mmCIF file of all heavy atoms in Angstrom:
data_model
loop_
_atom_site.group_PDB
_atom_site.id
_atom_site.type_symbol
_atom_site.label_atom_id
_atom_site.label_comp_id
_atom_site.label_asym_id
_atom_site.label_seq_id
_atom_site.Cartn_x
_atom_site.Cartn_y
_atom_site.Cartn_z
ATOM 1 N N ILE L 442 167.588 -173.487 -50.559
ATOM 2 C CA ILE L 442 166.581 -173.675 -51.610
ATOM 3 C C ILE L 442 166.288 -175.158 -51.817
ATOM 4 O O ILE L 442 165.136 -175.553 -52.039
ATOM 5 C CB ILE L 442 166.985 -172.951 -52.915
ATOM 6 C CG1 ILE L 442 165.765 -172.860 -53.842
ATOM 7 C CG2 ILE L 442 168.152 -173.590 -53.617
ATOM 8 C CD1 ILE L 442 165.829 -171.726 -54.818
ATOM 9 N N ARG L 443 167.317 -175.978 -51.678
ATOM 10 C CA ARG L 443 167.065 -177.417 -51.802
ATOM 11 C C ARG L 443 166.170 -177.909 -50.670
ATOM 12 O O ARG L 443 165.226 -178.674 -50.883
ATOM 13 C CB ARG L 443 168.398 -178.187 -51.808
ATOM 14 C CG ARG L 443 168.203 -179.649 -52.103
ATOM 15 C CD ARG L 443 169.503 -180.402 -52.156
ATOM 16 N NE ARG L 443 169.361 -181.668 -51.430
ATOM 17 C CZ ARG L 443 170.357 -182.399 -50.991
ATOM 18 N NH1 ARG L 443 171.608 -182.004 -51.177
ATOM 19 N NH2 ARG L 443 170.134 -183.530 -50.362
ATOM 20 N N GLY L 444 166.454 -177.440 -49.483
ATOM 21 C CA GLY L 444 165.628 -177.816 -48.340
ATOM 22 C C GLY L 444 164.180 -177.402 -48.553
ATOM 23 O O GLY L 444 163.249 -178.157 -48.247
ATOM 24 N N ILE L 445 163.986 -176.217 -49.095
ATOM 25 C CA ILE L 445 162.620 -175.731 -49.335
ATOM 26 C C ILE L 445 161.935 -176.600 -50.395
ATOM 27 O O ILE L 445 160.807 -177.047 -50.220
ATOM 28 C CB ILE L 445 162.649 -174.245 -49.763
ATOM 29 C CG1 ILE L 445 163.111 -173.383 -48.582
ATOM 30 C CG2 ILE L 445 161.286 -173.787 -50.273
ATOM 31 C CD1 ILE L 445 163.328 -171.911 -48.911
ATOM 32 N N ARG L 446 162.663 -176.843 -51.476
ATOM 33 C CA ARG L 446 162.078 -177.670 -52.560
ATOM 34 C C ARG L 446 161.615 -179.023 -52.043
ATOM 35 O O ARG L 446 160.588 -179.543 -52.441
ATOM 36 C CB ARG L 446 163.120 -177.911 -53.663
ATOM 37 C CG ARG L 446 163.243 -176.737 -54.575
ATOM 38 C CD ARG L 446 163.858 -177.119 -55.933
ATOM 39 N NE ARG L 446 164.086 -175.884 -56.664
ATOM 40 C CZ ARG L 446 165.283 -175.334 -56.857
ATOM 41 N NH1 ARG L 446 166.372 -175.954 -56.432
ATOM 42 N NH2 ARG L 446 165.387 -174.198 -57.486
ATOM 43 N N GLU L 447 162.432 -179.595 -51.154
ATOM 44 C CA GLU L 447 162.091 -180.934 -50.652
ATOM 45 C C GLU L 447 160.968 -180.907 -49.619
ATOM 46 O O GLU L 447 160.469 -181.948 -49.232
ATOM 47 C CB GLU L 447 163.338 -181.594 -50.042
ATOM 48 C CG GLU L 447 164.346 -181.983 -51.108
ATOM 49 C CD GLU L 447 165.642 -182.528 -50.515
ATOM 50 O OE1 GLU L 447 165.642 -182.968 -49.346
ATOM 51 O OE2 GLU L 447 166.663 -182.503 -51.235
ATOM 52 N N THR L 448 160.609 -179.710 -49.177
ATOM 53 C CA THR L 448 159.614 -179.613 -48.104
ATOM 54 C C THR L 448 158.238 -179.172 -48.594
ATOM 55 O O THR L 448 157.221 -179.673 -48.131
ATOM 56 C CB THR L 448 160.112 -178.632 -47.016
ATOM 57 O OG1 THR L 448 161.408 -179.045 -46.603
ATOM 58 C CG2 THR L 448 159.189 -178.616 -45.818
ATOM 59 N N VAL L 449 158.215 -178.235 -49.519
ATOM 60 C CA VAL L 449 156.911 -177.666 -49.902
ATOM 61 C C VAL L 449 156.162 -178.599 -50.855
ATOM 62 O O VAL L 449 156.725 -179.557 -51.399
ATOM 63 C CB VAL L 449 157.058 -176.270 -50.556
ATOM 64 C CG1 VAL L 449 157.582 -175.270 -49.545
ATOM 65 C CG2 VAL L 449 157.927 -176.324 -51.796
ATOM 66 N N ASP L 450 154.906 -178.261 -51.028
ATOM 67 C CA ASP L 450 154.053 -179.015 -51.937
ATOM 68 C C ASP L 450 154.673 -178.997 -53.346
ATOM 69 O O ASP L 450 155.159 -177.964 -53.803
ATOM 70 C CB ASP L 450 152.683 -178.303 -51.953
ATOM 71 C CG ASP L 450 151.659 -179.130 -52.669
ATOM 72 O OD1 ASP L 450 151.708 -179.188 -53.915
ATOM 73 O OD2 ASP L 450 150.815 -179.711 -51.971
ATOM 74 N N PRO L 451 154.653 -180.133 -54.027
ATOM 75 C CA PRO L 451 155.264 -180.172 -55.367
ATOM 76 C C PRO L 451 154.648 -179.140 -56.319
ATOM 77 O O PRO L 451 155.274 -178.738 -57.296
ATOM 78 C CB PRO L 451 154.980 -181.592 -55.856
ATOM 79 C CG PRO L 451 154.547 -182.370 -54.676
ATOM 80 C CD PRO L 451 154.127 -181.419 -53.597
ATOM 81 N N LYS L 452 153.447 -178.715 -56.005
ATOM 82 C CA LYS L 452 152.806 -177.746 -56.916
ATOM 83 C C LYS L 452 153.274 -176.304 -56.670
ATOM 84 O O LYS L 452 153.022 -175.421 -57.480
ATOM 85 C CB LYS L 452 151.287 -177.832 -56.752
ATOM 86 C CG LYS L 452 150.713 -179.095 -57.382
ATOM 87 C CD LYS L 452 149.231 -178.943 -57.601
ATOM 88 C CE LYS L 452 148.409 -180.013 -56.987
ATOM 89 N NZ LYS L 452 148.102 -180.270 -55.709
ATOM 90 N N THR L 453 153.937 -176.086 -55.557
ATOM 91 C CA THR L 453 154.398 -174.713 -55.275
ATOM 92 C C THR L 453 155.439 -174.298 -56.313
ATOM 93 O O THR L 453 156.387 -175.039 -56.600
ATOM 94 C CB THR L 453 155.021 -174.636 -53.867
ATOM 95 O OG1 THR L 453 154.018 -174.945 -52.931
ATOM 96 C CG2 THR L 453 155.593 -173.267 -53.582
ATOM 97 N N LYS L 454 155.235 -173.096 -56.840
ATOM 98 C CA LYS L 454 156.200 -172.584 -57.813
ATOM 99 C C LYS L 454 157.296 -171.851 -57.037
ATOM 100 O O LYS L 454 156.995 -170.964 -56.234
ATOM 101 C CB LYS L 454 155.473 -171.626 -58.747
ATOM 102 C CG LYS L 454 156.276 -171.218 -59.924
ATOM 103 C CD LYS L 454 155.377 -170.645 -60.999
ATOM 104 C CE LYS L 454 156.250 -170.137 -62.112
ATOM 105 N NZ LYS L 454 155.601 -169.124 -62.903
ATOM 106 N N ILE L 455 158.530 -172.254 -57.269
ATOM 107 C CA ILE L 455 159.622 -171.617 -56.526
ATOM 108 C C ILE L 455 160.459 -170.765 -57.484
ATOM 109 O O ILE L 455 160.996 -171.271 -58.477
ATOM 110 C CB ILE L 455 160.510 -172.670 -55.833
ATOM 111 C CG1 ILE L 455 159.664 -173.462 -54.824
ATOM 112 C CG2 ILE L 455 161.688 -172.017 -55.131
ATOM 113 C CD1 ILE L 455 160.391 -174.581 -54.137
ATOM 114 N N LEU L 456 160.530 -169.495 -57.183
ATOM 115 C CA LEU L 456 161.343 -168.581 -57.990
ATOM 116 C C LEU L 456 162.622 -168.307 -57.211
ATOM 117 O O LEU L 456 162.600 -168.243 -55.985
ATOM 118 C CB LEU L 456 160.583 -167.274 -58.217
ATOM 119 C CG LEU L 456 159.152 -167.424 -58.734
ATOM 120 C CD1 LEU L 456 158.441 -166.078 -58.711
ATOM 121 C CD2 LEU L 456 159.178 -167.997 -60.155
ATOM 122 N N TYR L 457 163.703 -168.126 -57.913
ATOM 123 C CA TYR L 457 164.958 -167.880 -57.200
ATOM 124 C C TYR L 457 165.789 -166.780 -57.869
ATOM 125 O O TYR L 457 165.937 -166.756 -59.086
ATOM 126 C CB TYR L 457 165.794 -169.170 -57.128
ATOM 127 C CG TYR L 457 167.235 -168.874 -56.785
ATOM 128 C CD1 TYR L 457 167.585 -168.482 -55.491
ATOM 129 C CD2 TYR L 457 168.242 -168.928 -57.761
ATOM 130 C CE1 TYR L 457 168.894 -168.157 -55.178
ATOM 131 C CE2 TYR L 457 169.559 -168.606 -57.450
ATOM 132 C CZ TYR L 457 169.874 -168.221 -56.160
ATOM 133 O OH TYR L 457 171.161 -167.887 -55.852
ATOM 134 N N GLU L 458 166.323 -165.908 -57.069
ATOM 135 C CA GLU L 458 167.314 -164.917 -57.523
ATOM 136 C C GLU L 458 168.233 -164.602 -56.357
ATOM 137 O O GLU L 458 167.758 -164.379 -55.243
ATOM 138 C CB GLU L 458 166.636 -163.608 -57.967
ATOM 139 C CG GLU L 458 166.143 -163.576 -59.389
ATOM 140 C CD GLU L 458 167.237 -163.777 -60.433
ATOM 141 O OE1 GLU L 458 168.387 -163.353 -60.188
ATOM 142 O OE2 GLU L 458 166.938 -164.381 -61.482
ATOM 143 N N ALA L 459 169.531 -164.560 -56.617
ATOM 144 C CA ALA L 459 170.450 -164.194 -55.533
ATOM 145 C C ALA L 459 170.303 -162.710 -55.190
ATOM 146 O O ALA L 459 170.380 -162.321 -54.025
ATOM 147 C CB ALA L 459 171.880 -164.501 -55.925
ATOM 148 N N GLY L 460 170.139 -161.878 -56.186
ATOM 149 C CA GLY L 460 169.963 -160.441 -55.939
ATOM 150 C C GLY L 460 171.275 -159.699 -55.792
ATOM 151 O O GLY L 460 171.452 -158.610 -56.335
ATOM 152 N N CYS L 461 172.202 -160.278 -55.053
ATOM 153 C CA CYS L 461 173.532 -159.653 -54.909
ATOM 154 C C CYS L 461 174.470 -160.700 -54.325
ATOM 155 O O CYS L 461 174.052 -161.806 -54.000
ATOM 156 C CB CYS L 461 173.461 -158.424 -53.990
ATOM 157 S SG CYS L 461 172.997 -158.805 -52.290
ATOM 158 N N ASN L 462 175.725 -160.318 -54.201
ATOM 159 C CA ASN L 462 176.684 -161.188 -53.528
ATOM 160 C C ASN L 462 176.710 -160.840 -52.036
ATOM 161 O O ASN L 462 176.111 -159.852 -51.610
ATOM 162 C CB ASN L 462 178.073 -161.018 -54.134
ATOM 163 C CG ASN L 462 178.083 -161.466 -55.585
ATOM 164 O OD1 ASN L 462 177.472 -162.484 -55.928
ATOM 165 N ND2 ASN L 462 178.731 -160.693 -56.442
ATOM 166 N N ILE L 463 177.449 -161.665 -51.296
ATOM 167 C CA ILE L 463 177.454 -161.432 -49.846
ATOM 168 C C ILE L 463 178.180 -160.134 -49.491
ATOM 169 O O ILE L 463 177.705 -159.362 -48.668
ATOM 170 C CB ILE L 463 178.095 -162.635 -49.102
ATOM 171 C CG1 ILE L 463 177.217 -163.877 -49.271
ATOM 172 C CG2 ILE L 463 178.289 -162.312 -47.613
ATOM 173 C CD1 ILE L 463 177.788 -165.151 -48.675
ATOM 174 N N ASN L 464 179.281 -159.900 -50.162
ATOM 175 C CA ASN L 464 180.096 -158.783 -49.658
ATOM 176 C C ASN L 464 180.756 -157.960 -50.752
ATOM 177 O O ASN L 464 181.973 -157.829 -50.776
ATOM 178 C CB ASN L 464 181.163 -159.340 -48.698
ATOM 179 C CG ASN L 464 181.793 -158.257 -47.863
ATOM 180 O OD1 ASN L 464 181.233 -157.172 -47.709
ATOM 181 N ND2 ASN L 464 182.971 -158.539 -47.318
ATOM 182 N N ASP L 465 179.982 -157.462 -51.696
ATOM 183 C CA ASP L 465 180.538 -156.464 -52.614
ATOM 184 C C ASP L 465 179.449 -155.438 -52.896
ATOM 185 O O ASP L 465 178.388 -155.457 -52.266
ATOM 186 C CB ASP L 465 181.095 -157.119 -53.892
ATOM 187 C CG ASP L 465 180.029 -157.825 -54.703
ATOM 188 O OD1 ASP L 465 178.844 -157.463 -54.583
ATOM 189 O OD2 ASP L 465 180.360 -158.754 -55.464
ATOM 190 N N ASP L 466 179.716 -154.531 -53.825
ATOM 191 C CA ASP L 466 178.731 -153.461 -54.012
ATOM 192 C C ASP L 466 177.985 -153.584 -55.341
ATOM 193 O O ASP L 466 177.492 -152.605 -55.890
ATOM 194 C CB ASP L 466 179.396 -152.089 -53.866
ATOM 195 C CG ASP L 466 180.558 -151.938 -54.834
ATOM 196 O OD1 ASP L 466 180.760 -152.849 -55.682
ATOM 197 O OD2 ASP L 466 181.269 -150.925 -54.747
ATOM 198 N N ASP L 467 177.913 -154.774 -55.862
ATOM 199 C CA ASP L 467 177.238 -155.005 -57.141
ATOM 200 C C ASP L 467 175.716 -155.071 -56.937
ATOM 201 O O ASP L 467 175.201 -156.017 -56.340
ATOM 202 C CB ASP L 467 177.775 -156.332 -57.724
ATOM 203 C CG ASP L 467 177.172 -156.625 -59.089
ATOM 204 O OD1 ASP L 467 176.344 -155.812 -59.569
ATOM 205 O OD2 ASP L 467 177.530 -157.680 -59.664
ATOM 206 N N ARG L 468 175.047 -154.081 -57.472
ATOM 207 C CA ARG L 468 173.585 -154.029 -57.317
ATOM 208 C C ARG L 468 172.864 -154.494 -58.572
ATOM 209 O O ARG L 468 171.634 -154.361 -58.684
ATOM 210 C CB ARG L 468 173.135 -152.595 -57.003
ATOM 211 C CG ARG L 468 173.672 -152.078 -55.683
ATOM 212 C CD ARG L 468 173.391 -150.585 -55.536
ATOM 213 N NE ARG L 468 173.882 -150.080 -54.251
ATOM 214 C CZ ARG L 468 175.159 -149.770 -54.009
ATOM 215 N NH1 ARG L 468 176.068 -149.903 -54.959
ATOM 216 N NH2 ARG L 468 175.525 -149.329 -52.813
ATOM 217 N N SER L 469 173.616 -155.024 -59.522
ATOM 218 C CA SER L 469 173.004 -155.320 -60.830
ATOM 219 C C SER L 469 171.931 -156.414 -60.760
ATOM 220 O O SER L 469 171.087 -156.510 -61.644
ATOM 221 C CB SER L 469 174.087 -155.709 -61.843
ATOM 222 O OG SER L 469 174.766 -156.854 -61.369
ATOM 223 N N GLY L 470 171.959 -157.209 -59.710
ATOM 224 C CA GLY L 470 170.957 -158.274 -59.608
ATOM 225 C C GLY L 470 169.675 -157.845 -58.902
ATOM 226 O O GLY L 470 168.709 -158.622 -58.811
ATOM 227 N N PHE L 471 169.643 -156.613 -58.413
ATOM 228 C CA PHE L 471 168.491 -156.169 -57.624
ATOM 229 C C PHE L 471 167.182 -156.262 -58.409
ATOM 230 O O PHE L 471 166.173 -156.746 -57.920
ATOM 231 C CB PHE L 471 168.663 -154.709 -57.163
ATOM 232 C CG PHE L 471 169.521 -154.533 -55.932
ATOM 233 C CD1 PHE L 471 170.415 -155.518 -55.522
ATOM 234 C CD2 PHE L 471 169.443 -153.365 -55.164
ATOM 235 C CE1 PHE L 471 171.209 -155.342 -54.407
ATOM 236 C CE2 PHE L 471 170.226 -153.186 -54.033
ATOM 237 C CZ PHE L 471 171.112 -154.172 -53.663
ATOM 238 N N SER L 472 167.226 -155.754 -59.651
ATOM 239 C CA SER L 472 165.949 -155.625 -60.378
ATOM 240 C C SER L 472 165.324 -156.998 -60.630
ATOM 241 O O SER L 472 164.112 -157.170 -60.478
ATOM 242 C CB SER L 472 166.144 -154.858 -61.677
ATOM 243 O OG SER L 472 167.172 -155.480 -62.401
ATOM 244 N N LYS L 473 166.156 -157.987 -60.963
ATOM 245 C CA LYS L 473 165.606 -159.338 -61.192
ATOM 246 C C LYS L 473 165.012 -159.895 -59.894
ATOM 247 O O LYS L 473 163.949 -160.517 -59.893
ATOM 248 C CB LYS L 473 166.707 -160.280 -61.667
ATOM 249 C CG LYS L 473 166.965 -160.219 -63.149
ATOM 250 C CD LYS L 473 167.817 -161.426 -63.499
ATOM 251 C CE LYS L 473 168.334 -161.313 -64.915
ATOM 252 N NZ LYS L 473 169.585 -162.033 -65.078
ATOM 253 N N ALA L 474 165.729 -159.665 -58.802
ATOM 254 C CA ALA L 474 165.250 -160.180 -57.514
ATOM 255 C C ALA L 474 163.917 -159.528 -57.149
ATOM 256 O O ALA L 474 162.970 -160.209 -56.719
ATOM 257 C CB ALA L 474 166.287 -159.914 -56.425
ATOM 258 N N VAL L 475 163.839 -158.236 -57.360
ATOM 259 C CA VAL L 475 162.603 -157.523 -57.040
ATOM 260 C C VAL L 475 161.470 -158.030 -57.928
ATOM 261 O O VAL L 475 160.332 -158.231 -57.475
ATOM 262 C CB VAL L 475 162.811 -155.995 -57.202
ATOM 263 C CG1 VAL L 475 161.491 -155.238 -57.144
ATOM 264 C CG2 VAL L 475 163.772 -155.496 -56.120
ATOM 265 N N ALA L 476 161.776 -158.282 -59.198
ATOM 266 C CA ALA L 476 160.755 -158.769 -60.140
ATOM 267 C C ALA L 476 160.208 -160.126 -59.671
ATOM 268 O O ALA L 476 158.997 -160.382 -59.733
ATOM 269 C CB ALA L 476 161.349 -158.882 -61.533
ATOM 270 N N GLU L 477 161.079 -160.990 -59.185
ATOM 271 C CA GLU L 477 160.615 -162.298 -58.705
ATOM 272 C C GLU L 477 159.769 -162.130 -57.441
ATOM 273 O O GLU L 477 158.730 -162.783 -57.288
ATOM 274 C CB GLU L 477 161.800 -163.229 -58.407
ATOM 275 C CG GLU L 477 162.667 -163.594 -59.610
ATOM 276 C CD GLU L 477 161.925 -164.302 -60.723
ATOM 277 O OE1 GLU L 477 160.982 -163.701 -61.282
ATOM 278 O OE2 GLU L 477 162.297 -165.447 -61.053
ATOM 279 N N ALA L 478 160.207 -161.235 -56.585
ATOM 280 C CA ALA L 478 159.447 -160.992 -55.344
ATOM 281 C C ALA L 478 158.032 -160.525 -55.695
ATOM 282 O O ALA L 478 157.059 -160.927 -55.052
ATOM 283 C CB ALA L 478 160.159 -159.955 -54.483
ATOM 284 N N ARG L 479 157.938 -159.702 -56.734
ATOM 285 C CA ARG L 479 156.637 -159.144 -57.148
ATOM 286 C C ARG L 479 155.661 -160.262 -57.533
ATOM 287 O O ARG L 479 154.467 -160.171 -57.307
ATOM 288 C CB ARG L 479 156.873 -158.208 -58.338
ATOM 289 C CG ARG L 479 155.725 -157.284 -58.641
ATOM 290 C CD ARG L 479 156.155 -156.263 -59.677
ATOM 291 N NE ARG L 479 157.267 -155.441 -59.199
ATOM 292 C CZ ARG L 479 158.264 -154.994 -59.978
ATOM 293 N NH1 ARG L 479 158.306 -155.291 -61.264
ATOM 294 N NH2 ARG L 479 159.218 -154.259 -59.461
ATOM 295 N N LYS L 480 156.183 -161.328 -58.094
ATOM 296 C CA LYS L 480 155.304 -162.416 -58.555
ATOM 297 C C LYS L 480 154.901 -163.361 -57.423
ATOM 298 O O LYS L 480 154.084 -164.258 -57.626
ATOM 299 C CB LYS L 480 156.050 -163.260 -59.610
ATOM 300 C CG LYS L 480 156.344 -162.534 -60.890
ATOM 301 C CD LYS L 480 157.052 -163.521 -61.838
ATOM 302 C CE LYS L 480 158.134 -162.821 -62.638
ATOM 303 N NZ LYS L 480 159.200 -163.674 -63.095
ATOM 304 N N ALA L 481 155.534 -163.207 -56.276
ATOM 305 C CA ALA L 481 155.386 -164.253 -55.243
ATOM 306 C C ALA L 481 154.298 -163.945 -54.224
ATOM 307 O O ALA L 481 153.902 -162.806 -54.034
ATOM 308 C CB ALA L 481 156.717 -164.418 -54.513
ATOM 309 N N ASP L 482 153.824 -164.997 -53.574
ATOM 310 C CA ASP L 482 152.895 -164.821 -52.452
ATOM 311 C C ASP L 482 153.673 -164.614 -51.155
ATOM 312 O O ASP L 482 153.230 -163.918 -50.259
ATOM 313 C CB ASP L 482 152.005 -166.063 -52.316
ATOM 314 C CG ASP L 482 151.186 -166.273 -53.574
ATOM 315 O OD1 ASP L 482 150.440 -165.346 -53.940
ATOM 316 O OD2 ASP L 482 151.337 -167.332 -54.211
ATOM 317 N N VAL L 483 154.791 -165.294 -51.050
ATOM 318 C CA VAL L 483 155.653 -165.148 -49.871
ATOM 319 C C VAL L 483 157.099 -165.059 -50.360
ATOM 320 O O VAL L 483 157.479 -165.747 -51.318
ATOM 321 C CB VAL L 483 155.515 -166.369 -48.916
ATOM 322 C CG1 VAL L 483 156.494 -166.262 -47.755
ATOM 323 C CG2 VAL L 483 154.086 -166.490 -48.386
ATOM 324 N N VAL L 484 157.880 -164.220 -49.694
ATOM 325 C CA VAL L 484 159.294 -164.106 -50.051
ATOM 326 C C VAL L 484 160.143 -164.626 -48.891
ATOM 327 O O VAL L 484 159.936 -164.230 -47.738
ATOM 328 C CB VAL L 484 159.684 -162.634 -50.314
ATOM 329 C CG1 VAL L 484 161.170 -162.526 -50.648
ATOM 330 C CG2 VAL L 484 158.834 -162.042 -51.420
#
Side-chain angles (χ1 to χ4, degrees):
I442 195 155
R443 187 178 136 198
I445 292 174
R446 280 201 187 106
E447 289 175 21
T448 306
V449 294
D450 190 285
K452 287 198 235 72
T453 297
K454 190 162 175 203
I455 298 176
L456 310 171
Y457 163 73
E458 275 300 328
C461 64
N462 296 319
I463 294 176
N464 195 20
D465 63 24
D466 56 6
D467 182 0
R468 296 171 179 80
S469 60
F471 278 20
S472 54
K473 276 194 190 153
V475 169
E477 297 300 61
R479 196 171 299 144
K480 294 181 218 155
D482 299 303
V483 175
V484 178

